[in-house]
Amino acid sequence: MRSRCRLLLLGIALFLLHGCGDRQTAKEVLLEFKQQPSEKYVYNVADSVEWDLEDVDKKRYTFQHLQEQHSEMVIETLDSAMVRTLTMTFVITKDTVLNAPDFVRSRGSNARVGREFGFVLRMRQNGEIVRVVTEDPKVAFEYDRSYKPSQPVFPSHAITPGYVWTQNFPVEVPRASPTVATTQYKLLSLTKVDQFDCAVIDFKGKLEYEEIYKPSEAKPENFLLKKMLSQITSEGQIFFAYREGFMVKRVNLITSTVRRTIFTKDKTEQQSRSVYKDYETITLTAIHRAGGESITYRIP
């Protein structure tokens, strides 16, 4: 009788332990943005770019470009369809070029400090970018090329660690046919970052397109045609505060390879190549609430 009781108690203990383990590892989270109008989110952007250039004479140049930016995201409006209008602004605060060749130094990189740029976005609650509000197609293309792969559209249902999903983003290329950027995401884990419960999301995206340049009659050049094949990958992690509904941190490696072919007037071909690897880290530093409250953070 006693042995049967011991077995029964052992069975109950194992059941409870197994059940607790399931609840911990199978925790579901619903990912969605929850920022409110008039809130402002401040981020620090740190970029370390490694350049590798090969000119038409097969000479190679390697150098590094370091930059920091102060970025602010203001939630302007939230409509009845839960679409947010966001104003994104960036100010370059540091800019250094290391071991650059003379033709790069002559561009005057120090003049970039203090330069401002930005754009306006319309974004759904699940993170889908409805529109980049701009009259300049180059601005929209730069956003699509550089930022869209690391901007997930979250699933409409709660997910658990290990969940994988894939997205295809249409991209309008200024001097080429439209193309598609493809990114795969994975909810890697749930963890604590500072005071925030965060979903850690892995991502890896790719984009390829070819642009063709022809000199205009008004501005003749010494070539007949120039083709540029660009191949871009973006991979990293997003730390998303799923209770509060905003991004706390993002680390991203953007690798861009551009191969250029120039067809000269004497019918010869000249080829060159450039590769850059951009190690980018975006970190939350402050939140300014609509009621006037301001909170600063030191996110590792």
Side-chain angles (χ1 to χ4, degrees), residues 239-277:
F239 297 82
F240 187 81
Y242 55 85
R243 299 188 191 279
E244 295 84 357
F246 58 81
M247 187 188 73
V248 171
K249 183 178 180 179
R250 183 179 74 202
V251 292
N252 190 11
L253 169 59
I254 302 171
T255 303
S256 175
T257 302
V258 181
R259 294 178 174 84
R260 300 174 182 83
T261 303
I262 298 177
F263 298 89
T264 63
K265 290 183 178 180
D266 60 1
K267 305 298 176 65
T268 62
E269 292 185 18
Q270 297 178 343
Q271 295 186 342
S272 61
R273 175 187 59 83
S274 63
V275 179
Y276 78 75
K277 293 185 177 182

mmCIF file of all heavy atoms in Angstrom, residues 239-277:
data_model
loop_
_atom_site.group_PDB
_atom_site.id
_atom_site.type_symbol
_atom_site.label_atom_id
_atom_site.label_comp_id
_atom_site.label_asym_id
_atom_site.label_seq_id
_atom_site.Cartn_x
_atom_site.Cartn_y
_atom_site.Cartn_z
ATOM 1 N N PHE A 239 14.410 43.165 -30.631
ATOM 2 C CA PHE A 239 13.943 42.971 -29.258
ATOM 3 C C PHE A 239 12.687 43.822 -29.097
ATOM 4 O O PHE A 239 12.766 45.053 -29.030
ATOM 5 C CB PHE A 239 15.028 43.371 -28.255
ATOM 6 C CG PHE A 239 16.270 42.525 -28.355
ATOM 7 C CD1 PHE A 239 17.237 42.789 -29.322
ATOM 8 C CD2 PHE A 239 16.467 41.455 -27.495
ATOM 9 C CE1 PHE A 239 18.376 42.006 -29.429
ATOM 10 C CE2 PHE A 239 17.606 40.667 -27.588
ATOM 11 C CZ PHE A 239 18.562 40.938 -28.558
ATOM 12 N N PHE A 240 11.529 43.147 -29.067
ATOM 13 C CA PHE A 240 10.236 43.830 -29.105
ATOM 14 C C PHE A 240 9.528 43.677 -27.770
ATOM 15 O O PHE A 240 9.285 42.556 -27.298
ATOM 16 C CB PHE A 240 9.370 43.249 -30.229
ATOM 17 C CG PHE A 240 8.096 43.996 -30.469
ATOM 18 C CD1 PHE A 240 8.077 45.152 -31.228
ATOM 19 C CD2 PHE A 240 6.891 43.538 -29.925
ATOM 20 C CE1 PHE A 240 6.897 45.843 -31.456
ATOM 21 C CE2 PHE A 240 5.717 44.218 -30.146
ATOM 22 C CZ PHE A 240 5.711 45.377 -30.912
ATOM 23 N N ALA A 241 9.219 44.810 -27.121
ATOM 24 C CA ALA A 241 8.497 44.802 -25.840
ATOM 25 C C ALA A 241 7.030 44.472 -26.128
ATOM 26 O O ALA A 241 6.256 45.336 -26.513
ATOM 27 C CB ALA A 241 8.632 46.153 -25.151
ATOM 28 N N TYR A 242 6.670 43.195 -25.936
ATOM 29 C CA TYR A 242 5.348 42.755 -26.387
ATOM 30 C C TYR A 242 4.223 43.219 -25.472
ATOM 31 O O TYR A 242 3.068 43.290 -25.904
ATOM 32 C CB TYR A 242 5.309 41.229 -26.559
ATOM 33 C CG TYR A 242 5.708 40.418 -25.355
ATOM 34 C CD1 TYR A 242 4.788 40.096 -24.361
ATOM 35 C CD2 TYR A 242 7.006 39.936 -25.222
ATOM 36 C CE1 TYR A 242 5.153 39.327 -23.264
ATOM 37 C CE2 TYR A 242 7.382 39.162 -24.128
ATOM 38 C CZ TYR A 242 6.456 38.866 -23.153
ATOM 39 O OH TYR A 242 6.814 38.104 -22.070
ATOM 40 N N ARG A 243 4.488 43.546 -24.228
ATOM 41 C CA ARG A 243 3.419 44.061 -23.360
ATOM 42 C C ARG A 243 3.100 45.517 -23.704
ATOM 43 O O ARG A 243 1.942 45.910 -23.770
ATOM 44 C CB ARG A 243 3.809 43.947 -21.886
ATOM 45 C CG ARG A 243 4.061 42.516 -21.421
ATOM 46 C CD ARG A 243 4.262 42.450 -19.917
ATOM 47 N NE ARG A 243 4.750 41.138 -19.493
ATOM 48 C CZ ARG A 243 3.980 40.075 -19.325
ATOM 49 N NH1 ARG A 243 2.682 40.174 -19.532
ATOM 50 N NH2 ARG A 243 4.509 38.922 -18.944
ATOM 51 N N GLU A 244 4.163 46.320 -23.942
ATOM 52 C CA GLU A 244 3.973 47.739 -24.238
ATOM 53 C C GLU A 244 3.778 48.010 -25.729
ATOM 54 O O GLU A 244 3.222 49.031 -26.108
ATOM 55 C CB GLU A 244 5.178 48.547 -23.737
ATOM 56 C CG GLU A 244 5.342 48.544 -22.239
ATOM 57 C CD GLU A 244 6.085 47.304 -21.727
ATOM 58 O OE1 GLU A 244 6.418 46.431 -22.548
ATOM 59 O OE2 GLU A 244 6.334 47.233 -20.509
ATOM 60 N N GLY A 245 4.290 47.124 -26.596
ATOM 61 C CA GLY A 245 4.050 47.240 -28.029
ATOM 62 C C GLY A 245 4.960 48.197 -28.767
ATOM 63 O O GLY A 245 4.484 49.027 -29.552
ATOM 64 N N PHE A 246 6.283 48.081 -28.580
ATOM 65 C CA PHE A 246 7.228 48.877 -29.374
ATOM 66 C C PHE A 246 8.590 48.197 -29.369
ATOM 67 O O PHE A 246 8.853 47.301 -28.559
ATOM 68 C CB PHE A 246 7.336 50.319 -28.849
ATOM 69 C CG PHE A 246 7.771 50.430 -27.415
ATOM 70 C CD1 PHE A 246 9.110 50.340 -27.059
ATOM 71 C CD2 PHE A 246 6.833 50.635 -26.409
ATOM 72 C CE1 PHE A 246 9.510 50.444 -25.737
ATOM 73 C CE2 PHE A 246 7.220 50.735 -25.078
ATOM 74 C CZ PHE A 246 8.562 50.643 -24.742
ATOM 75 N N MET A 247 9.456 48.655 -30.283
ATOM 76 C CA MET A 247 10.789 48.075 -30.391
ATOM 77 C C MET A 247 11.722 48.700 -29.363
ATOM 78 O O MET A 247 11.796 49.924 -29.236
ATOM 79 C CB MET A 247 11.362 48.301 -31.793
ATOM 80 C CG MET A 247 12.685 47.581 -32.034
ATOM 81 S SD MET A 247 13.461 48.038 -33.599
ATOM 82 C CE MET A 247 14.038 49.697 -33.235
ATOM 83 N N VAL A 248 12.447 47.850 -28.633
ATOM 84 C CA VAL A 248 13.420 48.302 -27.648
ATOM 85 C C VAL A 248 14.810 48.384 -28.269
ATOM 86 O O VAL A 248 15.568 49.315 -28.004
ATOM 87 C CB VAL A 248 13.432 47.353 -26.433
ATOM 88 C CG1 VAL A 248 14.591 47.669 -25.496
ATOM 89 C CG2 VAL A 248 12.110 47.440 -25.692
ATOM 90 N N LYS A 249 15.130 47.405 -29.129
ATOM 91 C CA LYS A 249 16.472 47.357 -29.711
ATOM 92 C C LYS A 249 16.438 46.539 -30.995
ATOM 93 O O LYS A 249 15.623 45.626 -31.135
ATOM 94 C CB LYS A 249 17.457 46.728 -28.710
ATOM 95 C CG LYS A 249 18.903 46.684 -29.162
ATOM 96 C CD LYS A 249 19.780 46.083 -28.058
ATOM 97 C CE LYS A 249 21.233 46.013 -28.463
ATOM 98 N NZ LYS A 249 22.097 45.464 -27.392
ATOM 99 N N ARG A 250 17.336 46.912 -31.913
ATOM 100 C CA ARG A 250 17.502 46.113 -33.126
ATOM 101 C C ARG A 250 18.970 46.101 -33.507
ATOM 102 O O ARG A 250 19.639 47.140 -33.526
ATOM 103 C CB ARG A 250 16.694 46.681 -34.296
ATOM 104 C CG ARG A 250 16.785 45.813 -35.559
ATOM 105 C CD ARG A 250 15.958 46.383 -36.691
ATOM 106 N NE ARG A 250 16.583 47.552 -37.268
ATOM 107 C CZ ARG A 250 15.921 48.486 -37.969
ATOM 108 N NH1 ARG A 250 14.612 48.388 -38.110
ATOM 109 N NH2 ARG A 250 16.566 49.514 -38.482
ATOM 110 N N VAL A 251 19.500 44.921 -33.783
ATOM 111 C CA VAL A 251 20.853 44.782 -34.319
ATOM 112 C C VAL A 251 20.719 44.187 -35.711
ATOM 113 O O VAL A 251 19.930 43.259 -35.937
ATOM 114 C CB VAL A 251 21.742 43.907 -33.415
ATOM 115 C CG1 VAL A 251 22.025 44.608 -32.105
ATOM 116 C CG2 VAL A 251 21.107 42.549 -33.136
ATOM 117 N N ASN A 252 21.495 44.733 -36.651
ATOM 118 C CA ASN A 252 21.281 44.384 -38.047
ATOM 119 C C ASN A 252 22.606 44.448 -38.795
ATOM 120 O O ASN A 252 23.402 45.375 -38.601
ATOM 121 C CB ASN A 252 20.287 45.377 -38.666
ATOM 122 C CG ASN A 252 19.817 44.954 -40.042
ATOM 123 O OD1 ASN A 252 20.061 43.835 -40.473
ATOM 124 N ND2 ASN A 252 19.136 45.849 -40.737
ATOM 125 N N LEU A 253 22.868 43.465 -39.619
ATOM 126 C CA LEU A 253 24.001 43.492 -40.535
ATOM 127 C C LEU A 253 23.445 43.541 -41.956
ATOM 128 O O LEU A 253 22.789 42.597 -42.410
ATOM 129 C CB LEU A 253 24.887 42.249 -40.357
ATOM 130 C CG LEU A 253 25.953 42.033 -41.443
ATOM 131 C CD1 LEU A 253 26.901 43.221 -41.532
ATOM 132 C CD2 LEU A 253 26.724 40.738 -41.207
ATOM 133 N N ILE A 254 23.704 44.666 -42.623
ATOM 134 C CA ILE A 254 23.277 44.831 -44.013
ATOM 135 C C ILE A 254 24.506 44.674 -44.897
ATOM 136 O O ILE A 254 25.490 45.400 -44.742
ATOM 137 C CB ILE A 254 22.647 46.221 -44.243
ATOM 138 C CG1 ILE A 254 21.453 46.429 -43.317
ATOM 139 C CG2 ILE A 254 22.220 46.376 -45.703
ATOM 140 C CD1 ILE A 254 20.908 47.845 -43.329
ATOM 141 N N THR A 255 24.470 43.708 -45.800
ATOM 142 C CA THR A 255 25.567 43.485 -46.735
ATOM 143 C C THR A 255 25.080 43.795 -48.143
ATOM 144 O O THR A 255 24.092 43.213 -48.600
ATOM 145 C CB THR A 255 26.074 42.036 -46.671
ATOM 146 O OG1 THR A 255 26.484 41.737 -45.329
ATOM 147 C CG2 THR A 255 27.262 41.834 -47.608
ATOM 148 N N SER A 256 25.742 44.724 -48.802
ATOM 149 C CA SER A 256 25.345 45.134 -50.146
ATOM 150 C C SER A 256 26.507 44.943 -51.104
ATOM 151 O O SER A 256 27.613 45.441 -50.864
ATOM 152 C CB SER A 256 24.912 46.608 -50.146
ATOM 153 O OG SER A 256 24.639 47.047 -51.473
ATOM 154 N N THR A 257 26.256 44.211 -52.173
ATOM 155 C CA THR A 257 27.243 44.004 -53.228
ATOM 156 C C THR A 257 26.697 44.594 -54.525
ATOM 157 O O THR A 257 25.610 44.224 -54.965
ATOM 158 C CB THR A 257 27.555 42.507 -53.425
ATOM 159 O OG1 THR A 257 28.018 41.964 -52.186
ATOM 160 C CG2 THR A 257 28.604 42.304 -54.499
ATOM 161 N N VAL A 258 27.455 45.519 -55.105
ATOM 162 C CA VAL A 258 27.043 46.168 -56.356
ATOM 163 C C VAL A 258 28.103 45.897 -57.411
ATOM 164 O O VAL A 258 29.283 46.223 -57.223
ATOM 165 C CB VAL A 258 26.858 47.693 -56.177
ATOM 166 C CG1 VAL A 258 26.415 48.329 -57.502
ATOM 167 C CG2 VAL A 258 25.843 47.986 -55.079
ATOM 168 N N ARG A 259 27.683 45.305 -58.521
ATOM 169 C CA ARG A 259 28.581 45.045 -59.654
ATOM 170 C C ARG A 259 28.168 45.948 -60.810
ATOM 171 O O ARG A 259 27.029 45.901 -61.268
ATOM 172 C CB ARG A 259 28.512 43.562 -60.056
ATOM 173 C CG ARG A 259 29.061 42.618 -59.000
ATOM 174 C CD ARG A 259 28.938 41.166 -59.412
ATOM 175 N NE ARG A 259 29.591 40.275 -58.458
ATOM 176 C CZ ARG A 259 29.016 39.822 -57.347
ATOM 177 N NH1 ARG A 259 27.768 40.177 -57.052
ATOM 178 N NH2 ARG A 259 29.680 39.031 -56.529
ATOM 179 N N ARG A 260 29.135 46.747 -61.274
ATOM 180 C CA ARG A 260 28.860 47.720 -62.335
ATOM 181 C C ARG A 260 29.533 47.290 -63.639
ATOM 182 O O ARG A 260 30.698 46.893 -63.633
ATOM 183 C CB ARG A 260 29.372 49.108 -61.944
ATOM 184 C CG ARG A 260 28.749 49.662 -60.691
ATOM 185 C CD ARG A 260 29.412 50.969 -60.289
ATOM 186 N NE ARG A 260 28.854 51.492 -59.038
ATOM 187 C CZ ARG A 260 29.228 51.098 -57.833
ATOM 188 N NH1 ARG A 260 30.186 50.174 -57.718
ATOM 189 N NH2 ARG A 260 28.683 51.620 -56.754
ATOM 190 N N THR A 261 28.794 47.419 -64.724
ATOM 191 C CA THR A 261 29.335 47.173 -66.061
ATOM 192 C C THR A 261 29.058 48.408 -66.902
ATOM 193 O O THR A 261 27.902 48.812 -67.063
ATOM 194 C CB THR A 261 28.706 45.935 -66.712
ATOM 195 O OG1 THR A 261 28.908 44.792 -65.868
ATOM 196 C CG2 THR A 261 29.324 45.672 -68.074
ATOM 197 N N ILE A 262 30.138 49.010 -67.423
ATOM 198 C CA ILE A 262 30.005 50.211 -68.252
ATOM 199 C C ILE A 262 30.373 49.852 -69.686
ATOM 200 O O ILE A 262 31.446 49.284 -69.941
ATOM 201 C CB ILE A 262 30.922 51.336 -67.731
ATOM 202 C CG1 ILE A 262 30.527 51.737 -66.316
ATOM 203 C CG2 ILE A 262 30.864 52.547 -68.665
ATOM 204 C CD1 ILE A 262 31.427 52.779 -65.700
ATOM 205 N N PHE A 263 29.490 50.186 -70.611
ATOM 206 C CA PHE A 263 29.746 49.979 -72.034
ATOM 207 C C PHE A 263 30.182 51.321 -72.610
ATOM 208 O O PHE A 263 29.395 52.261 -72.703
ATOM 209 C CB PHE A 263 28.492 49.461 -72.728
ATOM 210 C CG PHE A 263 28.016 48.128 -72.205
ATOM 211 C CD1 PHE A 263 27.134 48.064 -71.134
ATOM 212 C CD2 PHE A 263 28.475 46.947 -72.768
ATOM 213 C CE1 PHE A 263 26.694 46.848 -70.642
ATOM 214 C CE2 PHE A 263 28.039 45.719 -72.272
ATOM 215 C CZ PHE A 263 27.154 45.675 -71.216
ATOM 216 N N THR A 264 31.458 51.401 -72.998
ATOM 217 C CA THR A 264 32.022 52.668 -73.464
ATOM 218 C C THR A 264 31.723 52.876 -74.950
ATOM 219 O O THR A 264 31.258 51.968 -75.645
ATOM 220 C CB THR A 264 33.536 52.697 -73.228
ATOM 221 O OG1 THR A 264 34.155 51.653 -73.992
ATOM 222 C CG2 THR A 264 33.845 52.471 -71.753
ATOM 223 N N LYS A 265 32.069 54.082 -75.417
ATOM 224 C CA LYS A 265 31.769 54.423 -76.806
ATOM 225 C C LYS A 265 32.617 53.646 -77.800
ATOM 226 O O LYS A 265 32.245 53.511 -78.966
ATOM 227 C CB LYS A 265 31.954 55.926 -77.003
ATOM 228 C CG LYS A 265 30.888 56.746 -76.283
ATOM 229 C CD LYS A 265 31.046 58.215 -76.546
ATOM 230 C CE LYS A 265 29.936 59.004 -75.843
ATOM 231 N NZ LYS A 265 30.044 60.465 -76.077
ATOM 232 N N ASP A 266 33.768 53.142 -77.350
ATOM 233 C CA ASP A 266 34.584 52.324 -78.249
ATOM 234 C C ASP A 266 34.256 50.837 -78.131
ATOM 235 O O ASP A 266 35.045 49.978 -78.498
ATOM 236 C CB ASP A 266 36.074 52.568 -78.004
ATOM 237 C CG ASP A 266 36.471 52.220 -76.569
ATOM 238 O OD1 ASP A 266 35.594 51.774 -75.806
ATOM 239 O OD2 ASP A 266 37.654 52.406 -76.229
ATOM 240 N N LYS A 267 33.069 50.557 -77.583
ATOM 241 C CA LYS A 267 32.504 49.203 -77.510
ATOM 242 C C LYS A 267 33.220 48.282 -76.520
ATOM 243 O O LYS A 267 33.039 47.063 -76.563
ATOM 244 C CB LYS A 267 32.490 48.539 -78.899
ATOM 245 C CG LYS A 267 31.780 49.343 -79.958
ATOM 246 C CD LYS A 267 30.310 49.558 -79.626
ATOM 247 C CE LYS A 267 29.628 50.451 -80.639
ATOM 248 N NZ LYS A 267 29.557 49.855 -81.978
ATOM 249 N N THR A 268 34.023 48.808 -75.626
ATOM 250 C CA THR A 268 34.650 47.976 -74.607
ATOM 251 C C THR A 268 33.798 47.972 -73.334
ATOM 252 O O THR A 268 32.964 48.858 -73.129
ATOM 253 C CB THR A 268 36.063 48.461 -74.273
ATOM 254 O OG1 THR A 268 35.981 49.789 -73.738
ATOM 255 C CG2 THR A 268 36.951 48.463 -75.511
ATOM 256 N N GLU A 269 34.050 46.967 -72.520
ATOM 257 C CA GLU A 269 33.329 46.862 -71.247
ATOM 258 C C GLU A 269 34.293 47.126 -70.093
ATOM 259 O O GLU A 269 35.410 46.607 -70.081
ATOM 260 C CB GLU A 269 32.718 45.463 -71.076
ATOM 261 C CG GLU A 269 31.591 45.160 -72.029
ATOM 262 C CD GLU A 269 30.950 43.819 -71.723
ATOM 263 O OE1 GLU A 269 31.155 43.313 -70.593
ATOM 264 O OE2 GLU A 269 30.272 43.263 -72.607
ATOM 265 N N GLN A 270 33.838 47.921 -69.134
ATOM 266 C CA GLN A 270 34.599 48.172 -67.924
ATOM 267 C C GLN A 270 33.777 47.706 -66.734
ATOM 268 O O GLN A 270 32.595 48.045 -66.638
ATOM 269 C CB GLN A 270 34.931 49.663 -67.783
ATOM 270 C CG GLN A 270 35.823 50.199 -68.887
ATOM 271 C CD GLN A 270 36.088 51.683 -68.720
ATOM 272 O OE1 GLN A 270 35.394 52.380 -68.005
ATOM 273 N NE2 GLN A 270 37.133 52.161 -69.397
ATOM 274 N N GLN A 271 34.402 46.935 -65.861
ATOM 275 C CA GLN A 271 33.674 46.380 -64.727
ATOM 276 C C GLN A 271 34.309 46.814 -63.409
ATOM 277 O O GLN A 271 35.531 46.897 -63.291
ATOM 278 C CB GLN A 271 33.626 44.856 -64.814
ATOM 279 C CG GLN A 271 32.837 44.344 -66.014
ATOM 280 C CD GLN A 271 32.680 42.839 -66.005
ATOM 281 O OE1 GLN A 271 33.407 42.143 -65.309
ATOM 282 N NE2 GLN A 271 31.723 42.333 -66.768
ATOM 283 N N SER A 272 33.466 47.092 -62.425
ATOM 284 C CA SER A 272 33.920 47.449 -61.086
ATOM 285 C C SER A 272 32.965 46.828 -60.070
ATOM 286 O O SER A 272 31.876 46.355 -60.431
ATOM 287 C CB SER A 272 33.992 48.969 -60.908
ATOM 288 O OG SER A 272 32.711 49.554 -61.081
ATOM 289 N N ARG A 273 33.378 46.857 -58.807
ATOM 290 C CA ARG A 273 32.574 46.218 -57.769
ATOM 291 C C ARG A 273 32.734 46.979 -56.461
ATOM 292 O O ARG A 273 33.808 47.512 -56.148
ATOM 293 C CB ARG A 273 33.033 44.763 -57.578
ATOM 294 C CG ARG A 273 32.364 44.017 -56.447
ATOM 295 C CD ARG A 273 33.019 42.655 -56.241
ATOM 296 N NE ARG A 273 34.439 42.770 -55.945
ATOM 297 C CZ ARG A 273 34.931 43.020 -54.744
ATOM 298 N NH1 ARG A 273 34.111 43.159 -53.705
ATOM 299 N NH2 ARG A 273 36.235 43.121 -54.548
ATOM 300 N N SER A 274 31.666 47.049 -55.694
ATOM 301 C CA SER A 274 31.742 47.624 -54.346
ATOM 302 C C SER A 274 30.934 46.749 -53.398
ATOM 303 O O SER A 274 29.861 46.260 -53.747
ATOM 304 C CB SER A 274 31.213 49.063 -54.323
ATOM 305 O OG SER A 274 29.848 49.119 -54.659
ATOM 306 N N VAL A 275 31.501 46.547 -52.206
ATOM 307 C CA VAL A 275 30.836 45.765 -51.166
ATOM 308 C C VAL A 275 30.877 46.572 -49.882
ATOM 309 O O VAL A 275 31.930 47.094 -49.505
ATOM 310 C CB VAL A 275 31.520 44.403 -50.937
ATOM 311 C CG1 VAL A 275 30.812 43.622 -49.829
ATOM 312 C CG2 VAL A 275 31.554 43.589 -52.221
ATOM 313 N N TYR A 276 29.736 46.721 -49.243
ATOM 314 C CA TYR A 276 29.783 47.309 -47.905
ATOM 315 C C TYR A 276 29.006 46.424 -46.935
ATOM 316 O O TYR A 276 28.006 45.822 -47.293
ATOM 317 C CB TYR A 276 29.278 48.764 -47.883
ATOM 318 C CG TYR A 276 27.789 48.974 -47.910
ATOM 319 C CD1 TYR A 276 27.001 48.748 -46.773
ATOM 320 C CD2 TYR A 276 27.150 49.455 -49.050
ATOM 321 C CE1 TYR A 276 25.640 48.976 -46.783
ATOM 322 C CE2 TYR A 276 25.790 49.683 -49.069
ATOM 323 C CZ TYR A 276 25.040 49.441 -47.943
ATOM 324 O OH TYR A 276 23.687 49.667 -47.962
ATOM 325 N N LYS A 277 29.554 46.403 -45.708
ATOM 326 C CA LYS A 277 28.904 45.681 -44.615
ATOM 327 C C LYS A 277 28.599 46.696 -43.520
ATOM 328 O O LYS A 277 29.507 47.274 -42.932
ATOM 329 C CB LYS A 277 29.806 44.559 -44.090
ATOM 330 C CG LYS A 277 30.016 43.435 -45.099
ATOM 331 C CD LYS A 277 30.817 42.288 -44.489
ATOM 332 C CE LYS A 277 30.955 41.140 -45.481
ATOM 333 N NZ LYS A 277 31.685 39.987 -44.903
#
